[in-house]
Amino acid sequence: MAILIPLVFLFSYFFIRKIWFQLRKIRTVGTIERIELGYIRPNLILPEVKVHYKYYFQSGLYFGSGYLSLSDFLPTEDFHLHLGPGENPILYVGDMEIITEEHIEHYLLSKGGSVFLYLDPIEPYHSRIDTVNLNSITVPSDLL
């Protein structure tokens, strides 16, 4: 019984701490800088991509990276990704064929150019990707 009371206090401390850290997180938008495909050599491409992003918080510019699934960028479309001749990745989306990593990156950026992030306001360089923002953000122009 003497060991049970300190364990209850310890578990309750960690539980309250976890809830406190989750409640103080702020959801913000970050722009995607680069998308990298993941490889396992010699001939396998991972279904995850590494996303490099930047975001502004208070008076600073912060950079981060994280992993997302390809299906997050293409939620309603069937796709297939494999290595072709010369170890060039090939992405098949519907009846479209996209060759080379640069073209695949451009295509994925056209689908979602920003991500939603959770960041800690006390340590804003600690951020975590939540989801891809599939809605386009445009600014109207009166130049015409």
Side-chain angles (χ1 to χ4, degrees):
M1 188 67 172
I3 203 162
L4 187 61
I5 293 173
L7 283 177
V8 168
F9 281 121
L10 184 68
F11 285 127
S12 62
Y13 167 75
F14 284 122
F15 181 71
I16 292 170
R17 182 176 171 215
K18 181 172 179 65
I19 291 173
W20 171 253
F21 283 138
Q22 290 301 321
L23 288 177
R24 74 177 187 187
K25 297 275 185 186
I26 296 173
R27 190 169 189 223
T28 187
V29 176
T31 58
I32 298 175
E33 292 291 307
R34 192 175 73 223
I35 298 174
E36 293 178 9
L37 297 175
Y39 295 98
I40 295 179
R41 298 291 180 196
N43 60 356
L44 185 63
I45 298 181
L46 296 175
E48 293 180 333
V49 291
K50 186 172 184 180
V51 177
H52 298 273
Y53 55 87
K54 71 177 179 182
Y55 58 97
Y56 296 95
F57 182 71
Q58 292 176 347
S59 62
L61 172 65
Y62 299 95
F63 295 91
S65 64
Y67 290 92
L68 287 172
S69 176
L70 273 175
S71 61
D72 293 337
F73 287 94
L74 309 167
T76 60
E77 301 175 18
D78 292 331
F79 64 91
H80 176 71
L81 182 67
H82 70 90
L83 284 175
E87 293 192 4
N88 284 327
I90 301 173
L91 175 67
Y92 296 100
V93 179
D95 59 347
M96 209 168 34
E97 180 179 311
I98 304 165
I99 302 173
T100 72
E101 187 170 357
E102 291 82 17
H103 289 103
I104 293 171
E105 177 184 8
H106 184 291
Y107 179 73
L108 294 176
L109 283 173
S110 70
K111 291 295 184 179
S114 60
V115 289
F116 290 114
L117 305 168
Y118 282 119
L119 59 104
D120 188 354
I122 296 171
E123 297 174 335
Y125 48 87
H126 287 277
S127 59
R128 182 178 55 86
I129 295 177
D130 182 30
T131 57
V132 176
N133 183 11
L134 296 175
N135 300 324
S136 64
I137 300 173
T138 59
V139 177
S141 175
D142 294 333
L143 296 176
L144 296 176

